[in-house]
Amino acid sequence: ANVTLFLFSFFLGTGSSILSALQDLFWLSKSKVEKQLQIISVLQWVLTFLIMGVACTLILMYILCTDCWAIAALYLAWLVFDWNTPKKGGRRSQWVRNWAIWRYFRDYFPIRLVKTHNLLTTRNYIFGYHPHGIMGLGAFCNFSTEATGVGQKFPGIRPYLATLAGNFRMPILRDYLMSGGICPVNRDSIDYILSKNGSGNAIIIVVGGAAESLNCTPGKNSVTLKNRKGFVKLALRHGADLVPVYSFGENEVYKQVIFEEGSWGRWVQKKFQKHIGFAPCIFHGRGLFSSNTWGLLPYSKPITTVVGEPITIPKIDNPSQKEVDFYHSIYVDSLIKLFDKYKSKFGLPETEVLEVN
C-alpha cells in the first residue's frame, strides 16, 4: 500500500504527501528523501530527452509482432487521425504541467523565473530564449511546467515552447510533449498559434538551436544570433511582440568536449545538424550516486531565467530585408542590455561580456 501511495504521490500529489510516503516506506530523513526525489525527477526527464522517442518506437514495433498487436494497431490508427494536432496548438494539460515531479525537478538546481515587465493579454509574443545549453533545462522547466509559476507571473499568457518537429513523429513522446504545451518549431505551427488561436500566446523559440549547443560550456556566455533572423520575420508577419530571455546558469550544468572548427569532430556534428536537425554533443554531468563521478545527471547549479521587456512589433505581411534587419538589431541590443543589467545579480562579474555570434 505504501509503495502505491509513493508512486501516485510522486507524479500527482503534493510535496508533503510524497515525503510522507517515502519516509513511511524507507524510514529516511526528510532532507535525504527530498534530495533523492529531486535526482529521480531530473533523471526521468534526461532519459525522456535522450531515449524516450526511440524506445517507444521500438516497443510499439515489438508489440505489433506479439499477441497484443491490436493495442499497437489501435494506437497507430489514432496517430494517423491525430497527426496534425501538434501543428494546431497541440493538446496541453494543466494537470500534467502541475505534476509534483516538476517541483522536485525545479528544486534540484534550483531553477527560478524572473519577471521584469507585464505582458498584455491582447498581444501575442515570440520569446527568444538564450542560451540553448545542452538540453534547454531552464526553458523546459519555466515554460512547459508550472513549477516556477509562469501562469501566476504572466496571467492570461499561454506559453508554447517550440522544439524540433521530428520529436512529434515519435509515438507516445509526441503526446507527452504536447501535454506540457510544447509545439513544433516550424512555420505551420507558429503561424497557426499566432493567427488562429486568439491573443495572449507566447511562443518560446530557442534561437541558437543546435549550432549554439555545440559551443556551450561552463563559464562561457555566448549566443548564436547574428544570422538568426527568421523569428524576427515571423514576428513582423503576425505583429507579435519580441521578448528577449536570458537564462543565467544554463551553460553551467553540463561539461562538453568542444571540437575546434575544421576538426573531424566538428565536421560530423555539422553534418548531423544539417541533415537531421540536431548536433550530437559529447558531454557529461555527475553520476547518479555521487557528484564526484561522471554521468548523465546535470550538475546542481542554479539556473535563473530572466524575461525581458517586450519590443513592440508592427504587423507587416511581407516585411523587407531592411525591416527585418532593423528589428533584429533592436532585439540584439535589448538582449545585451538585459544581460548587462542582471549579470552581477546572478554571479557574473561586471566585466563579463555577452558574446554574440
Side-chain angles (χ1 to χ4, degrees):
N2 281 342
V3 174
T4 302
L5 174 62
F6 163 63
L7 292 174
F8 179 81
S9 299
F10 182 52
F11 282 93
L12 316 180
T14 65
S16 58
S17 63
I18 298 173
L19 290 173
S20 176
L22 257 184
Q23 284 180 284
D24 289 344
L25 190 61
F26 298 114
W27 297 92
L28 297 173
S29 68
K30 182 178 179 180
S31 61
K32 288 184 178 179
V33 169
E34 287 182 333
K35 189 61 181 177
Q36 293 307 312
L37 288 172
Q38 291 168 10
I39 289 173
I40 292 169
S41 66
V42 174
L43 180 62
Q44 68 81 27
W45 190 85
V46 169
L47 293 178
T48 296
F49 182 91
L50 294 176
I51 66 172
M52 183 177 179
V54 174
C56 288
T57 301
L58 293 175
I59 290 171
L60 197 66
M61 292 173 62
Y62 171 76
I63 293 175
L64 279 172
C65 300
T66 69
D67 293 338
C68 298
W69 63 269
I71 297 174
L74 283 172
Y75 179 79
L76 289 174
W78 160 253
L79 193 62
V80 172
F81 174 78
D82 195 55
W83 190 253
N84 288 323
T85 297
K87 298 178 182 178
K88 298 180 179 180
R91 189 168 45 244
R92 82 173 51 224
S93 166
Q94 286 301 115
W95 175 63
V96 173
R97 288 174 60 89
N98 281 288
W99 276 354
I101 189 174
W102 306 131
R103 297 194 289 278
Y104 287 98
F105 181 97
R106 170 199 68 196
D107 293 340
Y108 173 84
F109 297 93
I111 296 174
R112 179 186 173 203
L113 180 65
V114 176
K115 169 186 174 181
T116 63
H117 291 78
N118 292 324
L119 298 181
L120 300 175
T121 57
T122 55
R123 299 286 292 173
N124 284 324
Y125 300 90
I126 293 180
F127 288 18
Y129 184 92
H130 314 268
H132 183 286
I134 294 292
M135 296 185 183
L137 293 158
F140 170 79
C141 185
N142 285 308
F143 301 113
S144 294
T145 81
E146 293 296 329
T148 56
V150 64
Q152 289 73 43
K153 292 176 179 176
F154 299 103
I157 301 298
R158 292 180 298 276
Y160 292 87
L161 177 61
T163 188
L164 290 176
N167 289 323
F168 296 89
R169 301 186 187 102
M170 302 285 189
I172 309 301
L173 175 63
R174 67 189 293 277
D175 302 289
Y176 190 40
L177 295 177
M178 283 194 292
S179 68
I182 300 177
C183 68
V185 61
N186 59 32
R187 181 169 172 175
D188 288 345
S189 177
I190 294 173
D191 281 348
Y192 183 92
I193 293 170
L194 294 180
S195 64
K196 299 179 181 179
N197 201 41
S199 59
N201 303 292
I203 298 178
I204 297 88
I205 300 177
V206 186
V207 178
E212 191 171 85
S213 69
L214 297 179
N215 295 314
C216 70
T217 187
K220 185 175 183 179
N221 288 283
S222 66
V223 296
T224 302
L225 183 56
K226 280 184 179 178
N227 297 314
R228 299 294 174 106
K229 301 179 181 180
F231 73 106
V232 177
K233 189 172 184 178
L234 280 170
L236 286 165
R237 289 180 63 246
H238 294 284
D241 292 349
L242 288 171
V243 182
V245 179
Y246 197 85
S247 217
F248 295 90
E250 186 73 63
N251 285 345
E252 307 299 315
V253 296
Y254 279 111
K255 296 179 181 179
Q256 180 183 189
V257 177
I258 304 293
F259 293 102
E260 297 293 331
E261 289 292 338
S263 66
W264 67 270
R266 183 53 65 101
W267 180 84
V268 170
Q269 289 176 323
K270 287 188 173 182
K271 286 296 181 182
F272 266 83
Q273 177 190 336
K274 180 179 179 180
H275 297 292
I276 301 179
F278 73 92
C281 302
I282 300 178
F283 65 92
H284 74 83
R286 53 156 288 183
L288 181 59
F289 301 106
S290 171
S291 59
N292 296 320
T293 58
W294 288 10
L296 288 176
L297 277 177
Y299 294 105
S300 52
K301 304 287 186 180
I303 298 174
T304 305
T305 303
V306 184
V307 180
E309 181 178 5
I311 302 165
T312 302
I313 301 294
K315 188 177 186 304
I316 304 174
D317 290 335
N318 293 295
S320 66
Q321 189 59 50
K322 185 177 180 180
E323 290 168 327
V324 172
D325 291 343
F326 174 73
Y327 285 100
H328 181 267
S329 66
I330 293 177
Y331 178 86
V332 173
D333 289 342
S334 296
L335 178 64
I336 293 173
K337 288 177 182 177
L338 179 70
F339 177 85
D340 289 339
K341 182 177 180 179
Y342 289 93
K343 62 186 177 184
S344 61
K345 294 182 180 180
F346 303 120
L348 297 178
E350 283 290 347
T351 54
E352 185 72 18
V353 176
L354 178 63
E355 181 183 327
V356 180
N357 299 313

